[in-house]
């Protein structure tokens, strides 16, 4: 008996519980009837709430969710762990893909709270993702055309809460933001513009 | 008191112990005098022995070692864990970088037993690696020019033992090899050549 059913109102509080629950334990939380009714905007908000979890942990606020196209069940999710795991490249997308494990990503859609970096964009097309939905092309952008050229469907579905959250983080911790994109080498050797 | 000192003869048996020892425990195994005398070919052989460890575990035989350019101490190492960790993209290079943590890779050299894939090559230049040494351009190649164009020094130092080991794996497990490079989507939907 899951506690989220077709009569449950979707709210940020409910989506936050989904974000925090380990993926393989989600069936204890919600039944298929509830989760099938979640919209693309709901999945994007879950990605943004994963980003919020990371921000509260002192990390970079970027999250991602992967769903099965046919069942619309969540098969992977995660957030950036640069700080939390002392991890030089675990971004929102890589974290969600690691969580999903060895599945066929050609049957899935990935929702990311922020436009993917070069590494994540390359990983997304090399793993044959069917579709990527981007929640923020305001704070970053640029690899959407690369993904489309490689056969990945790309949709933009901006989430204003996520955009505001990332802008706040970038203003507060510019060095951490730069390290996350380009590594400590870039922080130690800033390029003259 | 480390057991490997300047009087120890370097052999595959000795290099295998270095490969298997957790990076942060290496000072218990060898003193600085011994490790400073290790050559580039020795570090490449350690990467090949990490690949061998992965092969024996049923995984893909690709390994990598990262050294500090100035001290020549090993600061990160690892091998592919597609099978072992149910991990869709943890290659030799990504594994070694994860092991090293948040360091400035601009002061390091990475030795990889096999030419890097698109994702790893992108990660290597985005993290500002100074130098990459490639141990096998016979079984795979193609991203050396991309790395050079992005300012990374690339050297080829082939290790025949590693080349033979990878060729054997590819002949034995072609589907696992393809999944490691392009994901299960490519295995399920083979392209007509």
């Amino acid at each position: 008996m899951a506690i989220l059913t077709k009569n449950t109102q979707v709210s940020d509080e409910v989506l936050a519980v989904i974000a925090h629950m380990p993926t393989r334990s989600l069936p204890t939380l919600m039944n298929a009837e509830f989760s099938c009714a979640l919209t693309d905007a709901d999945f994007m908000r879950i990605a943004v709430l994963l980003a919020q979890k990371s921000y509260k942990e002192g990390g970079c606020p970027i999250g991602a969710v992967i769903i099965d196209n046919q069942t619309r069940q969540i098969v992977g999710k995660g957030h950036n762990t640069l700080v939390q795991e002392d991890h030089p490249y675990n971004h929102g997308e890589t974290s969600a893909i690691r969580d999903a494990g060895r599945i066929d990503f050609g049957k899935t859609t990935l929702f990311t709270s922020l436009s993917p970096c070069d590494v994540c964009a390359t990983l997304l097309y090399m793993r044959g993702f069917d579709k990527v939905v981007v929640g923020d092309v305001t704070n970053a952008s640029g690899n959407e055309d690369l993904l489309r050229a490689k056969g990945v469907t790309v949709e933009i579905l901006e989430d204003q809460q996520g955009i505001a959250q990332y802008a706040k983080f970038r203003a507060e911790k510019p060095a951490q933001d730069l390290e996350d994109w380009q590594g400590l080498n870039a922080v130690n050797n800033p390029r003259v513009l």
Side-chain angles (χ1 to χ4, degrees), chain A:
Chain A
M1 285 292 290
I3 63 169
L4 303 181
T5 65
K6 64 174 176 172
N7 297 319
T8 311
Q9 184 81 23
V10 174
S11 67
D12 263 23
E13 288 69 28
V14 164
L15 296 177
V17 177
I18 297 170
H20 282 249
M21 179 65 79
T23 301
R24 279 149 196 80
S25 299
L26 284 173
T28 67
L29 178 65
M30 53 186 180
N31 66 20
E33 220 172 2
F34 175 83
S35 57
C36 283
L38 292 173
T39 66
D40 281 8
D42 291 332
F43 289 120
M44 186 57 77
R45 181 54 59 88
I46 295 171
V48 167
L49 292 166
L50 280 158
Q52 186 184 77
K53 173 178 180 291
S54 181
Y55 177 82
K56 287 180 179 172
E57 292 168 0
C60 305
I62 308 150
V65 173
I66 302 170
I67 66 165
D68 182 286
N69 289 343
Q70 204 144 35
T71 65
R72 289 185 70 84
Q73 301 299 300
I74 295 173
V75 294
K77 59 190 177 58
H79 58 70
N80 190 297
T81 62
L82 174 78
V83 169
Q84 296 95 319
E85 296 188 314
D86 187 35
H87 200 311
Y89 63 84
N90 199 37
H91 288 180
E93 301 92 323
T94 44
S95 180
I97 294 169
R98 181 178 74 175
D99 183 46
R102 289 168 70 187
I103 64 170
D104 183 345
F105 294 105
K107 298 167 179 170
T108 68
T109 296
L110 181 139
F111 296 80
T112 175
S113 70
L114 184 64
S115 179
C117 75
D118 292 6
V119 176
C120 290
T122 306
L123 181 60
L124 288 167
Y125 78 71
M126 279 197 81
R127 289 300 164 269
F129 270 86
D130 178 57
K131 191 162 121 180
V132 174
V133 185
V134 181
D136 178 356
V137 289
T138 301
N139 286 300
S141 71
N143 284 318
E144 286 74 19
D145 287 346
L146 169 72
L147 286 167
R148 289 188 183 109
K150 294 288 187 176
V152 183
T153 300
V154 178
E155 278 183 19
I156 312 299
L157 180 65
E158 290 209 314
D159 183 307
Q160 294 305 321
Q161 186 170 313
I163 293 170
Q165 177 173 257
Y166 197 81
K168 183 169 185 283
F169 158 73
R170 176 169 278 171
E172 287 170 352
K173 298 184 177 175
Q176 187 175 315
D177 179 44
L178 179 61
E179 181 190 350
D180 191 47
W181 285 87
Q182 296 179 45
L184 269 182
N185 185 45
V187 178
N188 293 340
N189 304 290
R191 285 175 203 153
V192 180
L193 291 177

